[in-house]
Amino acid sequence: MSSLVLAAFLAALAQQPTLPDQLAHGGFQTAPQAQPAKEAPPPRAFVPALLHNLVDDVKHIPRRNTLYWVAAGAAATAAVHPADKSLNARLVGSDFADSFFKPGHVIGGTPVQLAASAVTYIVGAVNEQPRVRHLGMDLLEAQILSEGISQGIKRIVRRERPDGSSGFGFPSGHATITMASATVLQQHLGWKAAVPTYAIAAYVSASRLHDNRHFASDVIGGATAGIIIGRAVTWHGRNTWAMAPSFGPGALAVYVTHK
């Protein structure tokens, strides 16, 4: 009887697949092998990163949100334009106003704004704080674009300044730069953190009227440009326009797509 049982057991065992066969056909579940963690790509050096981001920022400007701000800014500029001279006259001639608005042209100047942006970036880089470094980079981009765009518009419009010193009145560069900084801070930190910066931008803009360097319409135009630039700089990773060339027999076409 025992010999029959042993023979039956050996026969059944002979019908089972061998270990190599089971492995080949998935008969055993093996523990998944841990995949080596992918290392994050090293961050770009400062200058290549800045240039790359500036190109993206320019791509982010032509979008629907920009049209809304342009429309609102144009309407406000047109509405205040008839009162340009009277508004300036009300802010000129007071000793208190002279003392109060005197720091405005310094605070809103490109050197001070660029220095503050650079310090923010350096603090974030040295202390290995990516969010602070990112904020500093966005502020630097906003300053560069604000200066370039406002100077370009000035040379196209050629509006005389109220004091007759030059034909580069529109838009106000100080208003553009400070409003761009305030918008970047608002996009990064929220409205509560940005309220003081918007107050500073409004103060700088008013100081330009007191100094008789700009009309109110110049300031509104600059503020509008600053808001558009600040929002474009912080529109991260979302290119809205793309261009692709297409070649054919004796023809060249460029396709523009909106994402």
Side-chain angles (χ1 to χ4, degrees):
M1 182 70 179
S2 60
S3 60
L4 290 175
V5 172
L6 179 60
F9 174 76
L10 293 174
L13 184 61
Q15 294 176 359
Q16 295 296 320
T18 62
L19 178 60
D21 290 338
Q22 289 187 353
L23 290 175
H25 293 86
F28 287 104
Q29 296 294 327
T30 59
Q33 297 295 321
Q35 297 294 326
K38 293 183 179 179
E39 294 184 2
R44 289 187 177 94
F46 172 74
V47 173
L50 180 62
L51 294 176
H52 176 271
N53 292 345
L54 286 172
V55 172
D56 271 353
D57 296 339
V58 173
K59 293 179 182 178
H60 299 157
I61 292 177
R63 55 196 177 97
R64 185 177 301 173
N65 184 267
T66 298
L67 295 178
Y68 298 152
W69 283 106
V70 168
T77 300
V80 79
H81 177 67
D84 273 341
K85 293 183 180 180
S86 61
L87 288 173
N88 278 35
R90 293 179 183 180
L91 290 174
V92 176
S94 166
D95 291 338
F96 170 77
D98 290 343
S99 302
F100 180 74
F101 287 115
K102 188 175 182 178
H105 77 281
V106 177
I107 296 173
T110 299
V112 171
Q113 292 290 318
L114 273 177
S117 303
V119 168
T120 303
Y121 178 86
I122 292 170
V123 168
V126 171
N127 296 327
E128 296 184 353
Q129 297 174 310
R131 292 186 64 183
V132 178
R133 184 177 65 233
H134 186 187
L135 173 60
M137 177 65 82
D138 281 355
L139 287 170
L140 285 169
E141 295 164 27
Q143 302 308 309
I144 294 171
L145 288 179
S146 294
E147 186 68 22
I149 291 175
S150 64
Q151 291 298 325
I153 297 175
K154 285 174 183 288
R155 281 156 175 76
I156 293 172
V157 177
R158 293 278 182 171
R159 186 185 189 188
E160 190 74 18
R161 291 182 184 270
D163 60 3
S165 60
S166 72
F168 300 119
F170 183 90
S172 166
H174 282 64
T176 304
I177 289 171
T178 52
M179 196 60 71
S181 295
T183 303
V184 169
L185 288 169
Q186 178 264 313
Q187 294 288 85
H188 273 265
L189 306 176
W191 281 99
K192 290 183 180 180
V195 165
T197 315
Y198 275 116
I200 292 173
Y203 163 77
V204 170
S205 299
S207 74
R208 304 308 284 163
L209 304 184
H210 168 266
D211 295 343
N212 211 32
R213 296 288 289 169
H214 288 287
F215 291 116
S217 52
D218 301 333
V219 167
I220 292 175
T224 302
I227 292 172
I228 292 170
I229 292 168
R231 294 179 69 86
V233 164
T234 53
W235 188 259
H236 300 118
R238 295 171 284 184
N239 291 334
T240 56
W241 295 88
M243 293 186 294
S246 177
F247 301 93
L252 168 63
V254 177
Y255 293 94
V256 181
T257 58
H258 182 268
K259 297 180 181 180

